[in-house]
Structure formats: C-alpha cells, structure tokens
Amino acid sequence: MAFHDKELTVPGTVEVAGRHVKRYHIDQPVRRLEPEVIEAAYAYLPKLLPEPDGDTPPASWVVLHRGADTGAYLLAYSWFWDNVVECRIAIAGQPALDCPSDDPAHFVPLDRPGVGCVWELGVLEHERTAWIRHVLAPDEPDLAGYLADTRAEGPVGR
C-alpha cells in the first residue's frame, strides 16, 4: 500500500451541545468531502459530544476524514478532567467496519475503541500542545486563545 499525504482544511469553530468545537477536514485532491457528507457528519456530531464536566473549559475538536474508498470518519475529541481527552467515533460507508451500507453520509457509532489513523493523529498532536499553551500553562486559562490556535492547513500525514 503506497502512502500519500492528504489535505487538511480548517473550516472554523462552532458551538455544539454546549461545547466549543474546532473543526478539521481531511480529504484528498481527487476526492473532496462532499457537501452531503459534511452535512450528515455535523448532524450526527451532538451524539459524540459528552456533557461539559463543569470544571474543564467546554472544548472539543473534530476531524472529519473522507477515505479513498467509500468510507467517511467523524472523530470527536473532548477535553475533560482538565487534561484528559476522550475520543468518540462515528463511521459511514465502510463495510470493513460493519457499516450497514457503503453510503458515506450514513453515520453510525464505531463500537470498538479507536484514537485515529495516521492522518488524524497529527491534529491530536497539535491540539495537545495548544491545550497546554493556552489552558494549562497560563495562570488563567485562555479558552479564546486555544480556540484560535489551529493546525495549519495543507498536506497532512508525514
């Protein structure tokens, strides 16, 4: 299997289910995320977000990733207990993971634990550093600074 970089875009932050959510999209020049996949993913997103815990700034980030085949992946990472990340995943169009169809806009929960694939993990690395820089290290947490600090758009994977 030949490895190829994919493209990362950052469409901005939204508020969903009481959380500030940074958004990242990963796709390929030959297969961009289709509008119907994006719409279905963000309609499903509230099911992946935990209630804010009251002590931790209510922040999350999501990665919406379009695979090279029929698959689409929605990963929701949420901060809790000040410095811990929870990951919940929904998948669509991936028969190898027991999706009910090959429709990339029909999201269902992934029933096995996962953290992300090699393309998605670069975003996790950035978010860890941004959380330390803006929330944990300062005397007072700077949620706005954290939300504005996103990984640069462009090739992702290496």
Side-chain angles (χ1 to χ4, degrees):
M1 176 175 165
F3 181 85
H4 301 283
D5 279 332
K6 296 184 180 185
E7 291 294 316
L8 177 74
T9 56
V10 184
T13 300
V14 294
E15 196 167 327
V16 179
R19 290 185 161 273
H20 302 279
V21 181
K22 296 163 77 168
R23 297 180 299 160
Y24 295 95
H25 291 176
I26 297 175
D27 57 14
Q28 307 154 75
V30 296
R31 169 165 277 158
R32 305 309 270 186
L33 276 161
E34 300 93 336
E36 60 273 13
V37 172
I38 294 169
E39 182 179 334
Y42 289 111
Y44 195 91
L45 179 59
K47 296 176 185 176
L48 299 178
L49 297 173
E51 292 286 325
D53 65 19
D55 296 322
T56 307
S60 299
W61 76 93
V62 297
V63 178
L64 177 55
H65 180 179
R66 185 67 164 95
D69 54 14
T70 56
Y73 313 91
L74 179 64
L75 297 90
Y77 301 89
S78 298
W79 291 104
F80 74 98
W81 205 35
D82 291 330
N83 60 12
V84 180
V85 174
E86 173 182 315
C87 181
R88 297 180 184 179
I89 302 173
I91 53 176
Q94 185 50 268
L97 294 175
D98 297 324
C99 286
S101 74
D102 62 359
D103 178 358
H106 182 198
F107 284 89
V108 296
L110 179 63
D111 291 329
R112 63 186 302 169
V115 177
C117 73
V118 296
W119 293 280
E120 298 149 0
L121 291 176
V123 175
L124 187 144
E125 180 180 31
H126 173 86
E127 291 300 315
R128 174 198 168 272
T129 303
W131 189 255
I132 292 169
R133 183 174 32 252
H134 298 287
V135 178
L136 298 179
D139 291 334
E140 292 292 322
D142 178 12
L143 181 59
Y146 168 73
L147 295 172
D149 188 340
T150 59
R151 182 174 168 143
E153 292 187 330
V156 64
R158 293 183 200 236

